Amino acid sequence: MADSLPVKADPVFDGELIDDTLPQPRRRESKTNRFVRWCRHSPRVPLWLKSKPQAVQAGKDAVVGLVKSPWRYVGAVVRGLVVGVRWWRGWVTVRDYRTAAEESEKLADKFTEIRALTLFRWKVTGAVLVVAAVAVAIVDLVYGTDPLWIGGAAASVALAILGRKKDGSPGRKPALAGPRTLTWTMDPQVLVDAFRDAKLIGKDEALRLVDRATRVGDGWAVTVDLPATRKAADVVKNRDALASALAVDEVQLIVERVRGNGGHAGRVSMWVADEDPYASSPLRTPLLGVAQWDAWRPIPFGRDARDRRIDLPLVWTSLLVGAIPRQGKTFAARLAAAGLILDAWVRLYVADFKAGKDWDAAGLVAHRFMSGDEPEHVLALVDWLIELVGEVQSRFRRMRDLDDLTCPESKVTPEMSRDKALNMPITAIFIDEVQVPLEDRTPVDVQGKKLTAGEYVGELLTWLAKKGPAAGIVLVLATQRPDSKTIPSGLRAVLGSRFALRVMDWRDSNIVLGEQMNTRGFDSSRLLPSHKGVGILRPDGDTSAGADVLAMTVRTYYMPNEDWRTICEQGRTLREAAGTLTGHAAGQDTMPVLDHAAAVKAIGAGQAAKSPGELPEVLASLVEYLGDDLGPDGRDFVPTAELLDVLEVDSRTFAQQMAEVGCRPTRDRVTSEDGETRQVRGYRTAEIRSAVSRATTGASTADEDGQR
């Protein structure tokens, strides 16, 4: 009976199998949308119809122009009157005839004719004035004053047209110009003249206005396109010359190349401040007003010249701070530490080799803390670094066993850093005056190999800067001696973010910021001594200034010792509540867990001792470019122009760098692509090889000459 009961079946639908991988017909765009898209991209449509800020600025310009129009009209009439009087004077004195006679040396022969013609023209002028006076009297008597007012208005319009501001119009530019002020710098013609005076464009070339001048903060912003073949990089490099042409201090002028979809190699964005943007008092750090901070967010670092807040990302990167003493180096490093302190899940290592009290408050939150500059402190740092090398290796081994959902890219994630079971918190190590441990000559035994403590510290730091960021290690180094002998080039090359306050010369600036940065317009040696806390930031990551910005000048926030202590005390409270207070801060100064063999195997310690000396910046670039041409079968001579084009450096700087390594320019004949032979300046590859050999062996030029 039960087997015969009907069973309700699922409904059956008719359908068609569609292959959605095949190209589908595009939906036809409406005419309205096409018109709107055309308006946004067409160069024929003015900018103020495309952008609200541009429309607002256009409205302001129209109002200002309307208010100033009476004075401009009167000025044009006066200039027209001057032009007319000058023309009449030249006509009545027969200037053209007299000039021609002087040039043909026949002035004495033509003097009688010139005098007669001059008297005739004076008579014509008198007759015209009499006729005009009679005509005015008759019109006034017959028709009244209305026609006279109409005629006067027409005459004033004619004079205004004659006296309008136009290149080449007589009387437009005074012979002795007054002081150049910022009031005129955003006038389009003055901007063109400034580019010409700075030799950034030719006399017959002009600029194309992309965005009209608008007020941005306490200054003017404008974007222009350079003539074809002109590069924005040259404008950035010659910012000082452009600032001189605009009659402003270079700190008031910001010049950037516009990159991305809206830019190209010849598009320049400029911002000119009304006054020195760094003359005012610095602002307190905004971290004082927050209860806690997320270390995965960029940390408030300072403000740029346009008063934009600049945040510095620290996770997955590292930071080098360099400056001469008393320029705000420690304050900048503490700003980076403040954001991490306010995250209860961040583990801190703090080593203060200044041996002062600037970092003492960090002992309230630091997992490991020390302050001193003795050899025992350097050896303690070695133990810390070995411990961190082992921690990084351990994290990578554990990440291999995690599923792809928990650890998708072999990198520490925010969730992983806050999981107590995984024990992979963000770990930041701050070393102030890092030159002290790097220069320490205390001998250490590294698995049977003799090294100095400074060399070992350099190798450990280099390894951590390479491998550590992915495992959640943040390295922050601060030094008052940013020279090539103190900080190894291998370490500098892997430090992602750089911040250079004022240094002594452009070489020290390049050591902090990177090679050839001074030729790109970024030289911290040009910062003023009065600009405390002002430096050039080269970030490794996005900032509010844009992801494509190479570097920027930033004034760091102000955080005195009392604010620093307040933040550290708040960080301790957060860690106590979260149960993450460990190590030194918790009164548990345990000895680091060390595995010397594993550390040596990981970093290959001792190899640096056998490696040749480091090459200066210019020689390293030449070796990389010339390659096999430096060999015996390579070229004998390299033109200077070729090297300048490849290295993107100015001739004066390059000549100075080459002279410092013992290479002198010479002249030789080269054959161009069109077969023409000409004599040019350049360098012998044999001299470059000798300079490389001297740099790697440590020999001097005098030693080499003595051997010869």
Side-chain angles (χ1 to χ4, degrees), residues 97-98 100-117:
Y97 195 11
R98 181 187 293 272
E102 290 176 351
E103 292 177 354
S104 61
E105 299 181 355
K106 295 181 180 180
L107 181 60
D109 299 338
K110 302 291 185 179
F111 181 77
T112 303
E113 298 179 13
I114 292 174
R115 181 172 178 78
L117 186 56

Side-chain angles (χ1 to χ4, degrees), residues 10 17 129 148 151-152 169 186 278 347 361 417 420 448 688:
D10 293 333
L17 182 62
L129 291 176
L148 298 181
S169 296
M186 286 299 105
Y278 308 115
R347 184 179 296 166
S417 67
K420 288 186 177 182
I688 299 177

